[in-house]
Structure formats: structure tokens, C-alpha cells
Amino acid sequence: MKTNNNKGIKSVALLPFLLLALLIMPAACMEDEGNYDYIDLPEFRVDTVGVNQQYTVQQFNTLQVPSHLVYAGSKSDLAYRWSIYNTGYGQSDNLATILAETEDLNVEITAKPGNYILEFVAQNVNTGERAANQYRLTVESAAGTGLMVLYERNGLSDIDIVRTPILNTSLTNTTVSRNFYSSVNSTIVKGTPKILGYNNNHSYIFTDIDGVRLSNEDLTQIEDYDGIFYTKPDSHKPMHYYGPTTSEILINNGDVHMMIGGWDNGLHYFPGPKAMQGDSYYAEKAMVVYGGGPFCFDSKGHRFLYCGLWSGEFLPTGDARLSNINRDITHMSPGYPLQSTIGKTYAFFKDPTDASKRSLMIIDATVNSNASKLMADIDLSGCPEVSEMQNILTTTNSPMFYYSSTKSAYVCPVGIDEQTAAVPSAPLWTCPSNETITAMQLLNGNKILAIATWTGSEGKLYLFNTDLASGVTDPTPVETFTGFGKIVDMQYKSAQ
């Protein structure tokens, strides 16, 4: 059979022509001098460098947001649109709602409380070119996020709510909602205010003879004092509240009541008091420790007691040094876990006959009686103005504690060996001569120290920047508030 090679011969013959065509085509393109119009578009963008991308506003309040628009052309050619839409999946109102058609936003927000996307769009009506940016927006209820300030005025308890960008960077301005508790509740809390309790579930006002539970959404009263217990207590004497964890502890007339994260009951009521088989106790201070159980100081037996998470009875600890403590406890709270991963308990005492003799016990407290042990017993008698030591604050960021006298605030570092405490050489801050310090609180991840004072007729609140490692504060307050009654306690409230 013959093979036809003509096809191959023709292909080889065409190669010179193909190579010539490839050489001619670029030259033809280079010689193209067609008539084209090129337009230099002006700079058109939203500048986001260093710009806040998250905002918080209360419902029915005004939100102001600058566009940060950069445009080199004539802004008369631009159209603007600000809109929001709900971020929740399956929301019935997740369609965009137009808020304004202006370059900068300045409008009352009527959307219901929740989380939204806030969107800004600028468009050139001639070219269709657009510049846009999105922000996270939180619309809060009436109570919202802020520092709740409990005070006494004319024999009555009330709460103001302070909102400031110093404590919440998503806020655009500073406001104080005055007399918030009394404005939303028709009843008053009897007695002198002592404690403002806060938990993610609810808030409390406790006085020397009474107490109420409040909704975190709007601070309306949910239950009176009897109503927060399974069984009505025989007496009304709230002494101590501890609630920074999912569990809550309330001491009423020396009895410890513990609500275990709502597991005891879905309705969040305090069960009956913890008992002690064949013995009795009178608790002054208590807290939830590693393992989830309550740990308290029994002033009747001068000892520390522990209770298992699901146990109903207190037992003495296994360390004999945590018994026969002939001192009066003044404060107890979590401290820095310096030599272990287990959180420490810092317990402060004074001599019952000499207020100038003060001490700090550092305790590794667990729900196992054999494991709880005394780590240190530190003499604090050398601290300045020690006989007036009050408003004690501990921190888990660094081994130290804060305290105040009636006039000055101090920070006291605990030694690396946990056996000594450095005596402060000077106060962090001294209040004006006509004022006395009534309360202190650490805020914003312990980066802000709040100090409340009383002039005799007006309560004041000072906020100071604080160094997390050393505890040292800038002596000049970053913000000052006036117009309160006599402040007794403060708690920061998160959004609901």
C-alpha cells in the first residue's frame, strides 16, 4: 500500500508564510494610531485607616458617623446612601433599610435592639463608579452597656448608668442616664444600699435589710428579696454576693446560698443554705473556687470551710493553718495564680482589737479538703494608712492588690515568692481635700481604675488609665463625672 506524503510536504511548505505572518502582526499593532479617549478618574474611596469599624447606639438615640470619603472631583456628581440590615440568619427584617442619603450620617436609630451591618455607599451618577464601606452596628435596649453606679440619696437607693468611649470604644459619645432604676420601677428598695450585684443573667441591689433582683435588659424589678429564694428566709440580712462566674453565691444572715449556673433550677432561684453536719457556721465572705464549689470564711469558728460542687454540706479544710484564725475578715476575692495554674484566693484580715494590724492570706483553694492549703500569711501592717484600709481590689493579671484610705488610693505588689508584699512608697492618687473615697472598681479588663468620692453633698466618679503589669495609674483622670448621690458600689453591665 502506498503512503500519501503530499499532506506532510504541503505543511512544511507553509511554515515560512506562518512565520512571516507572526512577525508582521506585532508591527501592525504597534502602528495602530486609532483615535481613543482616555479619562483620568479622580481619586474615589473611603479612607478606613485608623477608622472605627464598630458602633454602639441605644434605640431612639442619634447615631453620628462620618463617611471618611476621599474624592478629588466635584461632590455635586455624587449620590449617597446609608443603610442597615440585620445579621441574624432567617430574620424577617434582614432586608436593607435606608437611614439617610447624606454624605455623613446623623440620624435617630429606631431599629429594634440587635446586631446589624451599617453600610455607606457613594456613587457617581454620571459614571456609575462607587465607593463603599461597612461597619458593625449594635443597637442596645434602654439599659444597654455601661457602668452601673449604685448610690444613696436622701435615704433612697438608685442607679445611674455611665456610658463612655473610655470603657466601650464602639460608643461615639459620653452619656449618663440619671436615676435609671427609679425611673423604670415604681417601688423603692428599703434600707441603706450596700452591694450592687451583677451576673450575666441578672443584677441585684442589696441593702442592709433588703434586696431586689433586676432584669439586665432594662433594670426592671423581677423579684423582691423573698422571691429570689426557693424558700422564704427567716430574716432579711444580705451580707455578701459573689457572681462573676456562671454560679452565684449569696450570704444571708451568715448562711451560704449557692445557685449553680441555673442547673439547680431553670428559674434561677437560690436553694436552701448549705449545712454543716454536727456543727454550725456563720459565713462573712464566700466565693466560687477551682472545681466550682463554694469556699467561705466562718467567723463563728474562725476558719475556712469548703463544699463540693454538688454537696450540700460544708467541711473544714485539710490544712490546720486555715483554722483557728483569730482575726476579722475584711475582703476575699480571686488573686493572681503565680505559682500554680489554679487560681488563688486572697483573703484580707484585721486584728479585732487593733485596726492597724492587717494581713493577707494567699490560699490555693479547691473542692478537695486535702488539697486546699495556705500559701502565705503576709503582714500588711507597714502599708500606708493601714488602719483605714478599705475598698480592696485584687487582679488576676498580676500579683498585686489595690486599696484606699478615706483620702488616697494605693497599689501594693506581692513578692515573687508570695511571702512578702512591697510597701507602697506613695499613693497612686489623693482626692481633693473636701472629698472622701467611698468606692473603687477595676474596669475594662483591669485597664481602668474607677474611684468614687463624696463631698458631703455630691458624689463624683474619676476614671484613671492603669498599667496591667505594675498597677500604676496615671495621676490625671482621663474622665470625671459629677452629680451622683453617695456612691457605694459599681459594676460594668454588658449588652443584653
Side-chain angles (χ1 to χ4, degrees):
M1 180 177 66
K2 287 185 178 181
T3 302
N4 187 356
N5 292 323
N6 291 337
K7 182 177 180 181
I9 294 172
K10 290 179 180 179
S11 299
V12 173
L14 289 174
L15 282 176
F17 297 99
L18 291 173
L19 293 172
L20 180 61
L22 290 173
L23 292 172
I24 294 174
M25 286 175 63
C29 292
M30 294 176 64
E31 294 173 1
D32 182 6
E33 297 181 358
N35 188 15
Y36 299 101
D37 292 327
Y38 293 94
I39 301 174
D40 292 327
L41 294 176
E43 187 177 15
F44 192 19
R45 61 184 174 85
V46 175
D47 185 4
T48 60
V49 177
V51 172
N52 187 16
Q53 297 294 309
Q54 182 172 347
Y55 291 91
T56 298
V57 65
Q58 284 181 279
Q59 188 182 26
F60 306 119
N61 280 11
T62 298
L63 176 64
Q64 297 177 327
V65 182
S67 68
H68 299 286
L69 182 66
V70 177
Y71 184 58
S74 172
K75 289 189 175 181
S76 62
D77 295 334
L78 303 181
Y80 308 102
R81 186 183 73 245
W82 290 89
S83 57
I84 62 170
Y85 56 90
N86 200 303
T87 59
Y89 175 77
Q91 295 283 344
S92 60
D93 57 351
N94 57 1
L95 298 177
T97 300
I98 296 177
L99 298 177
E101 295 180 336
T102 55
E103 180 178 353
D104 297 322
L105 182 65
N106 186 353
V107 67
E108 179 185 10
I109 300 299
T110 60
K112 67 181 183 180
N115 295 315
Y116 296 85
I117 294 297
L118 171 66
E119 184 178 65
F120 168 71
V121 176
Q123 183 171 3
N124 188 311
V125 297
N126 298 319
T127 66
E129 186 185 12
R130 291 162 39 116
N133 193 33
Q134 290 185 337
Y135 308 86
R136 294 188 301 274
L137 173 65
T138 299
V139 180
E140 293 185 342
S141 61
T145 299
L147 180 63
M148 298 187 294
V149 180
L150 174 66
Y151 59 87
E152 178 189 6
R153 176 179 283 147
N154 300 324
L156 301 177
S157 303
D158 216 330
I159 293 176
D160 288 356
I161 301 179
V162 176
R163 302 178 185 85
T164 167
I166 298 297
L167 301 177
N168 182 353
T169 56
S170 67
L171 295 173
T172 58
N173 57 355
T174 296
T175 61
V176 180
S177 298
R178 299 290 185 183
N179 312 314
F180 197 95
Y181 171 77
S182 61
S183 68
V184 298
N185 293 279
S186 57
T187 59
I188 62 172
V189 188
K190 295 178 291 184
T192 303
K194 297 293 184 183
I195 303 169
L196 178 59
Y198 176 75
N199 185 274
N200 287 335
N201 298 317
H202 29 242
S203 300
Y204 302 88
I205 297 176
F206 294 115
T207 70
D208 55 342
I209 59 171
D210 203 3
V212 293
R213 175 186 283 162
L214 310 176
S215 162
N216 274 351
E217 184 173 345
D218 55 11
L219 295 192
T220 54
Q221 181 177 319
I222 302 174
E223 285 105 5
D224 62 12
Y225 196 64
D226 288 337
I228 67 177
F229 295 93
Y230 264 141
T231 304
K232 178 180 176 180
D234 294 332
S235 62
H236 288 195
K237 191 179 179 181
M239 299 170 56
H240 179 79
Y241 172 82
Y242 182 86
T245 65
T246 55
S247 298
E248 302 173 60
I249 290 178
L250 175 62
I251 299 179
N252 178 69
N253 196 28
D255 290 328
V256 175
H257 301 258
M258 180 174 179
M259 184 162 50
I260 307 175
W263 299 339
D264 282 350
N265 47 84
L267 298 177
H268 302 288
Y269 296 127
F270 284 101
K274 300 291 184 182
M276 193 169 186
Q277 187 173 6
D279 203 346
S280 62
Y281 68 89
Y282 191 87
E284 293 272 358
K285 305 291 182 183
M287 55 180 282
V288 177
V289 296
Y290 180 78
F295 186 72
C296 78
F297 182 75
D298 168 26
S299 61
K300 179 182 177 181
H302 305 286
R303 59 191 171 176
F304 284 96
L305 303 174
Y306 84 99
C307 184
L309 178 61
W310 300 107
S311 172
E313 295 185 350
F314 275 114
L315 292 171
T317 64
D319 190 335
R321 296 172 298 174
L322 297 177
S323 297
N324 300 316
I325 303 171
N326 294 315
R327 312 173 208 172
D328 294 335
I329 193 166
T330 59
H331 180 83
M332 186 166 74
S333 57
Y336 182 71
L338 190 63
Q339 294 182 6
S340 71
T341 57
I342 299 174
K344 302 295 179 62
T345 295
Y346 279 29
F348 295 81
F349 295 89
K350 69 176 180 179
D351 187 284
T353 60
D354 187 351
S356 67
K357 294 181 179 179
R358 303 288 179 127
S359 57
L360 163 63
M361 283 189 168
I362 301 178
I363 305 165
D364 258 345
T366 76
V367 294
N368 186 325
S369 64
N370 294 320
S372 296
K373 60 182 178 180
L374 178 67
M375 302 296 295
D377 191 354
I378 303 174
D379 183 12
L380 301 179
S381 299
C383 292
E385 300 186 274
V386 67
S387 60
E388 296 182 4
M389 183 180 284
Q390 61 181 359
N391 301 314
I392 299 171
L393 301 171
T394 59
T395 168
T396 56
N397 296 111
S398 188
M400 61 186 174
F401 64 90
Y402 297 84
Y403 73 93
S404 83
S405 64
T406 57
K407 302 298 294 184
S408 299
Y410 299 89
V411 63
C412 187
V414 175
I416 195 68
D417 58 356
E418 289 191 324
Q419 301 298 314
T420 59
V423 176
S425 58
L428 296 173
W429 179 75
T430 298
C431 66
S433 59
N434 66 326
E435 300 176 21
T436 57
I437 297 175
T438 60
M440 297 201 309
Q441 187 62 272
L442 286 166
L443 306 167
N444 199 22
N446 299 333
K447 291 185 261 188
I448 297 291
L449 176 64
I451 302 179
T453 66
W454 175 242
T455 66
S457 59
E458 180 187 39
K460 294 184 177 181
L461 176 63
Y462 300 88
L463 301 182
F464 299 86
N465 283 323
T466 301
D467 180 77
L468 284 176
S470 67
V472 175
T473 63
D474 186 329
T476 303
V478 291
E479 204 159 12
T480 302
F481 301 88
T482 60
F484 304 95
K486 187 175 182 179
I487 299 172
V488 298
D489 204 356
M490 298 170 279
Q491 295 290 340
Y492 192 79
K493 177 186 175 302
S494 300
Q496 298 296 310

Short mmCIF file of all heavy atoms in Angstrom, two decimals, residues 406-437:
data_model
loop_
_atom_site.label_atom_id
_atom_site.label_comp_id
_atom_site.label_asym_id
_atom_site.label_seq_id
_atom_site.Cartn_x
_atom_site.Cartn_y
_atom_site.Cartn_z
N THR A 406 -9.47 56.82 103.37
CA THR A 406 -10.56 57.74 103.07
C THR A 406 -10.12 58.84 102.11
O THR A 406 -10.97 59.49 101.48
CB THR A 406 -11.09 58.39 104.36
OG1 THR A 406 -10.00 59.07 105.02
CG2 THR A 406 -11.68 57.35 105.28
N LYS A 407 -8.78 59.03 101.93
CA LYS A 407 -8.30 60.13 101.10
C LYS A 407 -7.45 59.70 99.90
O LYS A 407 -7.40 60.43 98.91
CB LYS A 407 -7.46 61.09 101.96
CG LYS A 407 -8.18 61.68 103.15
CD LYS A 407 -9.39 62.53 102.77
CE LYS A 407 -9.00 63.78 102.04
NZ LYS A 407 -10.18 64.64 101.75
N SER A 408 -6.77 58.54 99.98
CA SER A 408 -5.81 58.18 98.94
C SER A 408 -6.00 56.74 98.49
O SER A 408 -6.52 55.90 99.23
CB SER A 408 -4.37 58.35 99.44
OG SER A 408 -4.10 59.69 99.79
N ALA A 409 -5.56 56.46 97.24
CA ALA A 409 -5.60 55.12 96.67
C ALA A 409 -4.17 54.61 96.50
O ALA A 409 -3.27 55.38 96.15
CB ALA A 409 -6.31 55.12 95.32
N TYR A 410 -3.96 53.29 96.74
CA TYR A 410 -2.64 52.68 96.70
C TYR A 410 -2.68 51.39 95.90
O TYR A 410 -3.74 50.75 95.78
CB TYR A 410 -2.13 52.35 98.11
CG TYR A 410 -1.99 53.54 99.02
CD1 TYR A 410 -3.05 53.97 99.81
CD2 TYR A 410 -0.78 54.23 99.11
CE1 TYR A 410 -2.92 55.07 100.67
CE2 TYR A 410 -0.62 55.32 99.97
CZ TYR A 410 -1.71 55.73 100.74
OH TYR A 410 -1.57 56.81 101.58
N VAL A 411 -1.50 50.98 95.37
CA VAL A 411 -1.33 49.65 94.80
C VAL A 411 -0.18 48.99 95.55
O VAL A 411 0.84 49.63 95.85
CB VAL A 411 -1.05 49.69 93.28
CG1 VAL A 411 0.24 50.41 92.94
CG2 VAL A 411 -1.06 48.28 92.71
N CYS A 412 -0.34 47.72 95.86
CA CYS A 412 0.64 47.00 96.67
C CYS A 412 1.04 45.71 95.95
O CYS A 412 0.25 44.76 95.89
CB CYS A 412 0.05 46.70 98.04
SG CYS A 412 1.23 46.00 99.21
N PRO A 413 2.24 45.62 95.37
CA PRO A 413 2.69 44.40 94.70
C PRO A 413 2.97 43.29 95.72
O PRO A 413 3.45 43.55 96.82
CB PRO A 413 3.97 44.82 93.98
CG PRO A 413 3.95 46.32 93.97
CD PRO A 413 3.20 46.72 95.21
N VAL A 414 2.68 42.06 95.32
CA VAL A 414 3.01 40.88 96.13
C VAL A 414 4.30 40.30 95.59
O VAL A 414 4.48 40.15 94.37
CB VAL A 414 1.87 39.84 96.08
CG1 VAL A 414 2.26 38.57 96.82
CG2 VAL A 414 0.60 40.44 96.67
N GLY A 415 5.23 39.94 96.49
CA GLY A 415 6.54 39.46 96.09
C GLY A 415 6.47 38.19 95.25
O GLY A 415 5.52 37.41 95.34
N ILE A 416 7.50 37.96 94.45
CA ILE A 416 7.54 36.81 93.56
C ILE A 416 7.52 35.51 94.36
O ILE A 416 7.06 34.47 93.86
CB ILE A 416 8.80 36.88 92.66
CG1 ILE A 416 8.67 35.90 91.48
CG2 ILE A 416 10.05 36.62 93.47
CD1 ILE A 416 7.61 36.27 90.49
N ASP A 417 7.96 35.56 95.62
CA ASP A 417 7.93 34.36 96.45
C ASP A 417 6.59 34.17 97.14
O ASP A 417 6.38 33.20 97.85
CB ASP A 417 9.05 34.41 97.50
CG ASP A 417 8.94 35.65 98.39
OD1 ASP A 417 8.03 36.48 98.14
OD2 ASP A 417 9.74 35.77 99.33
N GLU A 418 5.70 35.14 96.93
CA GLU A 418 4.36 35.13 97.54
C GLU A 418 4.43 35.13 99.07
O GLU A 418 3.48 34.75 99.74
CB GLU A 418 3.53 33.93 97.07
CG GLU A 418 3.09 34.02 95.63
CD GLU A 418 2.06 32.96 95.27
OE1 GLU A 418 2.15 31.83 95.78
OE2 GLU A 418 1.16 33.27 94.48
N GLN A 419 5.53 35.58 99.62
CA GLN A 419 5.67 35.62 101.08
C GLN A 419 5.76 37.05 101.61
O GLN A 419 5.71 37.27 102.81
CB GLN A 419 6.93 34.85 101.51
CG GLN A 419 6.93 33.39 101.10
CD GLN A 419 5.78 32.61 101.71
OE1 GLN A 419 5.51 32.71 102.90
NE2 GLN A 419 5.08 31.83 100.89
N THR A 420 5.89 38.01 100.70
CA THR A 420 6.03 39.39 101.11
C THR A 420 5.18 40.29 100.22
O THR A 420 4.75 39.90 99.14
CB THR A 420 7.50 39.86 101.01
OG1 THR A 420 7.93 39.69 99.64
CG2 THR A 420 8.40 39.05 101.92
N ALA A 421 4.93 41.49 100.70
CA ALA A 421 4.23 42.50 99.91
C ALA A 421 5.02 43.79 99.99
O ALA A 421 5.45 44.19 101.08
CB ALA A 421 2.81 42.70 100.44
N ALA A 422 5.26 44.42 98.86
CA ALA A 422 6.01 45.67 98.83
C ALA A 422 5.17 46.80 99.39
O ALA A 422 4.01 46.98 99.00
CB ALA A 422 6.44 45.97 97.40
N VAL A 423 5.74 47.54 100.31
CA VAL A 423 5.02 48.66 100.92
C VAL A 423 4.98 49.83 99.93
O VAL A 423 6.03 50.25 99.43
CB VAL A 423 5.70 49.10 102.23
CG1 VAL A 423 5.01 50.34 102.79
CG2 VAL A 423 5.69 47.96 103.23
N PRO A 424 3.80 50.33 99.58
CA PRO A 424 3.73 51.46 98.64
C PRO A 424 4.49 52.66 99.19
O PRO A 424 4.35 53.02 100.37
CB PRO A 424 2.23 51.74 98.55
CG PRO A 424 1.55 50.49 99.00
CD PRO A 424 2.47 49.88 100.02
N SER A 425 5.29 53.30 98.34
CA SER A 425 6.06 54.45 98.77
C SER A 425 5.25 55.74 98.70
O SER A 425 5.54 56.71 99.40
CB SER A 425 7.32 54.61 97.90
OG SER A 425 6.96 54.73 96.54
N ALA A 426 4.21 55.74 97.85
CA ALA A 426 3.39 56.93 97.69
C ALA A 426 2.03 56.51 97.14
O ALA A 426 1.91 55.46 96.50
CB ALA A 426 4.06 57.92 96.73
N PRO A 427 1.01 57.29 97.38
CA PRO A 427 -0.31 56.95 96.84
C PRO A 427 -0.35 57.10 95.33
O PRO A 427 0.40 57.89 94.74
CB PRO A 427 -1.24 57.95 97.53
CG PRO A 427 -0.38 59.10 97.91
CD PRO A 427 0.96 58.52 98.20
N LEU A 428 -1.22 56.32 94.70
CA LEU A 428 -1.47 56.49 93.27
C LEU A 428 -2.16 57.83 93.00
O LEU A 428 -1.91 58.49 92.00
CB LEU A 428 -2.36 55.36 92.76
CG LEU A 428 -1.81 53.94 92.80
CD1 LEU A 428 -2.89 52.95 92.42
CD2 LEU A 428 -0.61 53.81 91.87
N TRP A 429 -3.07 58.18 93.92
CA TRP A 429 -3.87 59.40 93.75
C TRP A 429 -4.44 59.80 95.09
O TRP A 429 -4.79 58.94 95.91
CB TRP A 429 -5.00 59.14 92.75
CG TRP A 429 -5.91 60.31 92.49
CD1 TRP A 429 -5.63 61.42 91.74
CD2 TRP A 429 -7.25 60.48 92.96
NE1 TRP A 429 -6.71 62.26 91.71
CE2 TRP A 429 -7.73 61.70 92.45
CE3 TRP A 429 -8.10 59.70 93.75
CZ2 TRP A 429 -9.02 62.18 92.70
CZ3 TRP A 429 -9.39 60.17 94.01
CH2 TRP A 429 -9.84 61.39 93.50
N THR A 430 -4.52 61.08 95.33
CA THR A 430 -5.15 61.62 96.54
C THR A 430 -6.28 62.54 96.12
O THR A 430 -6.09 63.41 95.25
CB THR A 430 -4.12 62.38 97.40
OG1 THR A 430 -3.10 61.46 97.82
CG2 THR A 430 -4.79 62.98 98.62
N CYS A 431 -7.44 62.35 96.70
CA CYS A 431 -8.61 63.12 96.29
C CYS A 431 -8.52 64.55 96.83
O CYS A 431 -7.74 64.83 97.76
CB CYS A 431 -9.89 62.44 96.76
SG CYS A 431 -10.12 62.38 98.55
N PRO A 432 -9.30 65.47 96.27
CA PRO A 432 -9.33 66.84 96.80
C PRO A 432 -9.68 66.87 98.28
O PRO A 432 -10.33 65.96 98.80
CB PRO A 432 -10.41 67.51 95.95
CG PRO A 432 -10.41 66.74 94.67
CD PRO A 432 -10.12 65.32 95.05
N SER A 433 -9.25 67.93 98.96
CA SER A 433 -9.35 68.00 100.42
C SER A 433 -10.78 67.94 100.93
O SER A 433 -11.02 67.50 102.06
CB SER A 433 -8.67 69.27 100.92
OG SER A 433 -9.28 70.42 100.35
N ASN A 434 -11.75 68.36 100.12
CA ASN A 434 -13.14 68.36 100.57
C ASN A 434 -13.89 67.08 100.19
O ASN A 434 -15.12 67.01 100.31
CB ASN A 434 -13.88 69.56 99.97
CG ASN A 434 -14.02 69.48 98.46
OD1 ASN A 434 -13.12 68.95 97.79
ND2 ASN A 434 -15.12 69.99 97.92
N GLU A 435 -13.16 66.05 99.73
CA GLU A 435 -13.79 64.80 99.30
C GLU A 435 -13.22 63.62 100.08
O GLU A 435 -12.10 63.68 100.59
CB GLU A 435 -13.58 64.58 97.80
CG GLU A 435 -14.14 65.69 96.92
CD GLU A 435 -13.82 65.48 95.44
OE1 GLU A 435 -13.53 64.33 95.04
OE2 GLU A 435 -13.85 66.48 94.69
N THR A 436 -13.99 62.54 100.17
CA THR A 436 -13.53 61.28 100.74
C THR A 436 -13.85 60.15 99.76
O THR A 436 -14.85 60.21 99.03
CB THR A 436 -14.20 60.98 102.09
OG1 THR A 436 -15.63 60.97 101.92
CG2 THR A 436 -13.82 62.00 103.13
N ILE A 437 -12.99 59.13 99.73
CA ILE A 437 -13.17 58.00 98.82
C ILE A 437 -14.21 57.05 99.40
O ILE A 437 -14.12 56.64 100.56
CB ILE A 437 -11.85 57.27 98.57
CG1 ILE A 437 -10.85 58.21 97.88
CG2 ILE A 437 -12.06 56.02 97.71
CD1 ILE A 437 -9.47 57.63 97.71
#
